[in-house]
Amino acid sequence: MAEEMLDALDRAGVRLTGPRRKLAALIERREGHFTAADLLKDAGRRRMGIGRATVFRLLELLSEQGLVERIDLPDGTHAYIPCEPTHHHHLVCLNCGATTDVDDCGIEAVTREAARRSGFKIEQHRLELFGRCPDCRSAN
Amino acid sequence: MAEEMLDALDRAGVRLTGPRRKLAALIERREGHFTAADLLKDAGRRRMGIGRATVFRLLELLSEQGLVERIDLPDGTHAYIPCEPTHHHHLVCLNCGATTDVDDCGIEAVTREAARRSGFKIEQHRLELFGRCPDCRSAN
DNA sequence: AGCACATATGATACCGAGTATCAATAATGC
DNA sequence: GCATTATTGATACTCGGTATCATATGTGCT
Ligand SMILES: [Zn+2]
Ligand SMILES: [Zn+2]
Ligand SMILES: [Zn+2]
Ligand SMILES: [Zn+2]
């Protein structure tokens, strides 16, 4: 999956630098969603001398390529989720942070109806589902 | 609508102070979504000596009462929308900021299906629709 | 392999949203 | 009216994210 990111970066015409490779590897090892600070801490612990700015810059790049998506958790914090570059939504565990993709979002019907009633032309939508993953359900 | 807010604050058992009344009135005069900074600027322009913290504190109170909802705009900024304290979603104009409520969100079916497939127990969802309002569509 | 050039890096400083603190002030209940 | 207690606003702070810029490093060309 780090491979995938590096490929995408290559295709995007940016350089495959050391820090980017290292960070991609770190992202790969992550489970569930993570924050920029999490990544930075990962890098710090391993004494890779990676700068704050570099982390944010890479996250933005990956986000442009759709390989990472930024979500807003219910508590207001921003987190990132590695994912496929196609339209889909996320199911996020409120307890452990695990995420799953929901690809067939049947909300096209919902948006169509909302558009009809309001007169708006709907251009994008954002749907996020929060709950408890199977593990956390049984663990409790 | 400022009335409504003040009533709710009263019911919530907090004091109906001068700053809160003034801010409620300012919120009433706003159209579309607004940021904490917008409100603060409104207050500043009118030389009400209202402190930064007070604005954030009131927005949080109103948010707890469901009279204002915080949304995350696609550009990453946080904005507030005055609204009814019932479950519903927002349709936001990307051009002028106008908002409408979408109350019958037919996504219960979507969440049920996602829950079935994933094994998650879904506890909350967030749906935001973005587009162009009728005015902005015809104006262009 | 070596070079030239443009891009990327990290240190630092900076910005803006939001929060903690706390002495001074004002709303409420009696 | 007065005592009590919540609220206020000034100030200082935290934290996510960005601008700047001299230095380092990938990349394409030879
Ligand atoms: Zn979980
Ligand atoms: Zn969708
Ligand atoms: Zn809903
Ligand atoms: Zn509009």
Side-chain angles (χ1 to χ4, degrees):
Chain A
M1 200 201 61
E3 261 329 299
E4 213 176 320
M5 296 188 189
L6 295 174
D7 283 359
L9 290 179
D10 195 22
R11 251 175 285 121
V14 301
R15 293 186 179 169
L16 260 38
T17 70
R20 285 177 181 163
R21 292 172 195 276
K22 289 181 203 155
L23 285 175
L26 288 181
I27 292 176
E28 185 169 34
R29 308 178 56 123
R30 282 252 144 220
E31 318 205 340
H33 54 67
F34 60 90
T35 65
D38 288 335
L39 253 195
L40 199 51
K41 218 185 320 161
D42 287 356
R45 230 193 319 262
R46 287 157 216 232
R47 310 260 144 65
M48 315 166 160
I50 292 184
R52 230 168 116 55
T54 302
V55 171
F56 283 101
R57 285 190 281 235
L58 178 62
L59 286 173
E60 193 185 350
L61 270 178
L62 291 177
S63 170
E64 282 165 9
Q65 303 306 314
L67 290 176
V68 128
E69 199 171 305
R70 185 167 140 183
I71 62 165
D72 297 284
L73 268 11
D75 71 8
T77 58
H78 289 162
Y80 295 84
I81 302 181
C83 57
E84 302 301 315
T86 57
H87 177 84
H88 66 274
H89 303 279
H90 296 280
L91 225 168
V92 182
C93 178
L94 290 169
N95 191 56
C96 72
T99 65
T100 327
D101 288 3
V102 180
D103 32 273
D104 167 30
C105 86
I107 73 173
E108 312 311 335
V110 177
T111 65
R112 221 175 307 122
E113 175 63 9
R116 195 184 60 72
R117 282 196 224 169
S118 63
F120 272 62
K121 170 154 173 282
I122 296 180
E123 294 174 356
Q124 13 173 336
H125 63 258
R126 193 155 60 198
L127 171 67
E128 278 146 24
L129 305 175
F130 302 96
R132 316 237 138 212
C133 72
D135 287 358
C136 290
R137 283 178 74 178
S138 54
N140 152 51
Chain B
M1 200 199 61
E3 262 330 296
E4 213 175 322
M5 294 186 188
L6 296 174
D7 282 1
L9 291 179
D10 195 20
R11 247 175 289 124
V14 302
R15 292 185 182 170
L16 260 39
T17 72
R20 284 178 182 163
R21 291 171 196 278
K22 290 181 202 156
L23 284 174
L26 288 180
I27 291 176
E28 186 169 34
R29 309 177 56 123
R30 282 251 143 223
E31 319 204 342
H33 54 67
F34 60 89
T35 65
D38 289 334
L39 253 196
L40 199 51
K41 218 186 316 162
D42 287 355
R45 231 192 319 262
R46 286 156 218 231
R47 309 260 143 65
M48 316 165 161
I50 292 183
R52 232 173 116 58
T54 302
V55 171
F56 283 100
R57 286 190 281 234
L58 178 61
L59 286 173
E60 193 184 351
L61 271 178
L62 291 176
S63 170
E64 282 166 8
Q65 303 307 315
L67 289 176
V68 127
E69 201 172 305
R70 185 166 140 183
I71 61 165
D72 298 284
L73 267 14
D75 70 8
T77 58
H78 289 163
Y80 295 85
I81 303 181
C83 59
E84 302 301 316
T86 58
H87 178 83
H88 66 275
H89 303 280
H90 296 281
L91 226 166
V92 182
C93 178
L94 290 168
N95 192 55
C96 70
T99 65
T100 327
D101 288 3
V102 179
D103 31 273
D104 168 31
C105 86
I107 73 175
E108 313 311 335
V110 178
T111 64
R112 218 174 309 124
E113 175 65 7
R116 197 183 60 73
R117 282 196 224 168
S118 63
F120 272 62
K121 170 155 174 280
I122 296 180
E123 292 173 358
Q124 15 171 333
H125 63 258
R126 194 155 60 199
L127 172 66
E128 277 146 25
L129 306 174
F130 301 96
R132 317 239 136 210
C133 71
D135 287 358
C136 291
R137 285 177 74 179
S138 55
N140 159 30

